[in-house]
Amino acid sequence: MFYFSVPLGKLVRRVSRLRGGGSALPGLVVEKIDPGFMQRTLSTLPLGVAVVSGTNGKTTTTKMVVELLESQGLNVFTNRTGSNFTRGVAAALLGEVDWRGRLDADIAVLELDEAHAVHFVNKVRPRYSLLLNVLRDQLDRFGEIDKTAELLQHIASKTTGTVVLNREDPRVARIAGTLNGPEVLYFGLDDSLLSTFPNDDDMRAAPGSPVPPAPARPDADVVLRRVGADDADFEYDGVTLTTAMKLRGVYNIFNAAAALTLARAIAVRATAGQDTVKGKTAVADNDGLLKALAKVAPAFGRGESLVVDGLPLELVLVKNPSGFRLGLKSFPAAGYATMIAINDNYADGRDMSWLWDVEFDTLRDAGVDQLSGSRAYDMALRLQYDDVAIGAVNTEIAPALAAFIRGGKVKPKRIFCTYTAMLAIRRELSKITTVEVVS
């Protein structure tokens, strides 16, 4: 059947791109005029829909899952822009469907914001869900952290096939006890790595406070055993295997364990004959999964490395205390010129008080060359309390970035930035260097 909403949505998408508009606008239009568009389109996929949600790591983890499944010969639809509201998914669909609204894919792997995922799963029940973590983030939107956990629990309750949970996050792990029906799998950490990835309770425990006994941890399908400079060890099926890693940042390596767990679940289910793809049974190839994982590059803005004046410039997304702490730990400041750009737009979260939950002492020796964004002066005040020297402050991102590049010509550069600041910085950098276009 032909739906007028599809060509109209495609037209809006084309006009929006020509005008440099937001990637989600066409999705908002099609949601208004054809509320059944997403459900109708995604219901045709033979392997169904996999939803990835949680506070940190959604974009990179989704990218990994997509590339792992593609290595198994599957045709995967995803929302590559990282626009993780329902309208972002609808907009991405408009870019992939034909004029009759048909989607040529075996499975959809979708990154979804925790709150918007609830609306999505009420319309489209996922066959798979991967729930990464629950951390204090955008309290102006979500309220207290237990509310975020309830949102993830709702996603799991709507999942019809397999739910993948983070064994090391107690708020995520306990979701298993609320489920009746879907298979539950876990990804986890070696004991030696637990302190590297503190959960929200660990981060807020007072120094020297007694540690309550930890509950027994369930067996995990994939366990991250070791993180090296450019490789990692993963254990699954009783064997520990080493693989090279292009991804930088310890948090990305833990997310790789999550991605492996979900990809294996989908491939194994297909191999067992429970799902078929275009008349053929898919085959799980664990060696192929690891080889594919070794080739995954960072998602845009998440440790992405560009070249400016012949030197690397890295973009590191930060949006809550945990993400900023792990970013500072993963990317040492020595030898780098550093810029921090903090915005407080809706997509960033309006409440920036979380900056006071981050320790910036690792920046003390080298200092910060440039601060920018709408909350640059809040960041400046926070750095002063940690005795971090500041070179310059300019709330306007374009001139601040230009000054940062001029002033650090002999050094590699690194920019820690919130989401909308990262988008603005990438737009400016696209004028002077090669920047991947994500559409």
Side-chain angles (χ1 to χ4, degrees):
M1 182 180 295
F2 180 80
Y3 290 89
F4 178 71
S5 58
V6 174
L8 178 59
K10 282 181 169 289
L11 177 62
V12 172
R13 185 175 187 270
R14 180 171 297 179
V15 172
S16 178
R17 286 167 60 81
L18 288 173
R19 292 173 58 88
S23 61
L25 175 61
L28 182 61
V29 171
V30 80
E31 279 188 330
K32 293 292 185 183
I33 63 175
D34 185 2
F37 170 68
M38 273 195 312
Q39 182 179 15
R40 185 176 64 248
T41 306
L42 295 174
S43 65
T44 65
L45 300 180
L47 295 183
V49 174
V51 167
V52 179
S53 195
T55 306
N56 279 354
K58 294 184 289 293
T59 299
T60 299
T61 304
T62 300
K63 185 175 189 290
M64 283 190 275
V65 173
V66 169
E67 295 188 27
L68 292 177
L69 293 179
E70 288 176 341
S71 78
Q72 304 290 289
L74 300 181
N75 187 2
V76 185
F77 165 75
T78 190
N79 48 335
R80 290 188 69 239
T81 64
S83 181
N84 54 26
F85 294 0
T86 54
R87 58 182 177 265
V89 175
L93 279 171
L94 285 170
E96 296 294 328
V97 298
D98 63 18
W99 289 95
R100 296 178 63 87
R102 295 173 299 197
L103 179 64
D104 181 19
D106 300 314
I107 187 170
V109 179
L110 304 175
E111 168 196 351
L112 285 169
D113 167 270
E114 300 95 305
H116 283 260
V118 169
H119 300 296
F120 177 87
V121 301
N122 286 338
K123 296 179 180 179
V124 181
R125 296 195 68 174
R127 194 169 302 177
Y128 306 92
S129 60
L130 168 55
L131 308 179
L132 294 168
N133 42 55
V134 178
L135 297 157
R136 290 171 202 273
D137 179 45
Q138 298 195 28
L139 297 184
D140 53 299
R141 286 182 59 212
F142 295 133
E144 270 305 311
I145 187 171
D146 289 327
K147 175 60 178 177
T148 307
E150 290 176 8
L151 298 175
L152 296 187
Q153 190 277 327
H154 183 80
I155 299 167
S157 72
K158 293 291 186 177
T159 303
T160 62
T162 301
V163 177
V164 178
L165 301 176
N166 181 350
R167 182 181 73 177
E168 316 307 348
D169 188 318
R171 289 181 175 83
V172 173
R174 69 171 64 112
I175 289 173
T178 70
L179 301 178
N180 181 19
E183 173 191 31
V184 176
L185 298 174
Y186 298 90
F187 63 98
L189 293 166
D190 188 87
D191 289 350
S192 64
L193 294 173
L194 290 174
S195 61
T196 302
F197 301 91
N199 60 52
D200 195 83
D201 293 338
D202 293 336
M203 286 195 297
R204 292 176 188 284
S209 61
V211 179
R217 292 184 291 164
D219 292 336
D221 183 72
V222 176
V223 177
L224 175 61
R225 291 296 183 192
R226 182 189 63 86
V227 177
D230 53 11
D231 66 358
D233 291 348
F234 297 94
E235 180 186 337
Y236 52 86
D237 296 338
V239 179
T240 300
L241 299 171
T242 300
T243 182
M245 299 291 295
K246 279 188 176 180
L247 293 168
R248 298 191 62 198
V250 292
Y251 47 88
N252 281 332
I253 311 304
F254 189 27
N255 292 337
L260 272 172
T261 306
L262 179 57
R264 278 166 45 84
I266 294 170
V268 167
R269 187 179 175 94
T271 302
Q274 299 175 52
D275 291 316
T276 58
V277 181
K278 296 176 182 175
K280 296 188 298 183
T281 301
V283 177
D285 174 11
N286 285 321
D287 288 340
L289 289 173
L290 276 187
K291 289 177 181 177
L293 183 62
K295 297 176 182 178
V296 178
F300 74 103
R302 281 80 171 174
E304 178 183 24
S305 185
L306 309 172
V307 177
V308 176
D309 294 334
L311 293 169
L313 185 152
E314 294 176 336
L315 298 177
V316 182
L317 178 69
V318 295
K319 65 189 189 75
N320 53 42
S322 174
F324 215 149
R325 288 182 183 190
L326 287 172
L328 291 168
K329 184 173 185 176
S330 299
F331 300 94
Y336 277 75
T338 300
M339 175 175 170
I340 301 176
I342 305 294
N343 276 350
D344 64 348
N345 297 316
Y346 178 77
D348 307 299
R350 307 307 302 272
D351 181 1
M352 287 292 126
S353 62
W354 62 265
L355 291 172
W356 294 87
D357 294 328
V358 184
E359 296 174 355
F360 293 95
D361 53 290
T362 57
L363 299 176
R364 193 173 293 150
D365 290 343
V368 173
D369 300 82
Q370 188 82 37
L371 295 177
S372 190
S374 57
R375 300 298 285 270
Y377 285 98
D378 297 74
M379 189 72 248
L381 178 63
R382 176 67 192 91
L383 292 176
Q384 286 181 350
Y385 271 80
D386 273 0
D387 297 322
V388 177
I390 301 164
V393 181
N394 187 338
T395 58
E396 297 298 321
I397 286 178
L401 177 63
F404 176 61
I405 292 172
R406 285 195 307 271
K409 284 190 176 294
V410 298
K411 283 186 177 182
K413 301 165 188 66
R414 184 174 295 125
I415 305 176
F416 296 96
C417 44
T418 57
Y419 181 70
T420 65
M422 179 264 291
L423 295 180
I425 289 167
R426 289 181 97 253
R427 283 195 297 270
E428 291 301 314
L429 290 173
S430 69
K431 301 173 184 178
I432 59 173
T433 190
T434 301
V435 177
E436 180 192 8
V437 177
V438 181
S439 60

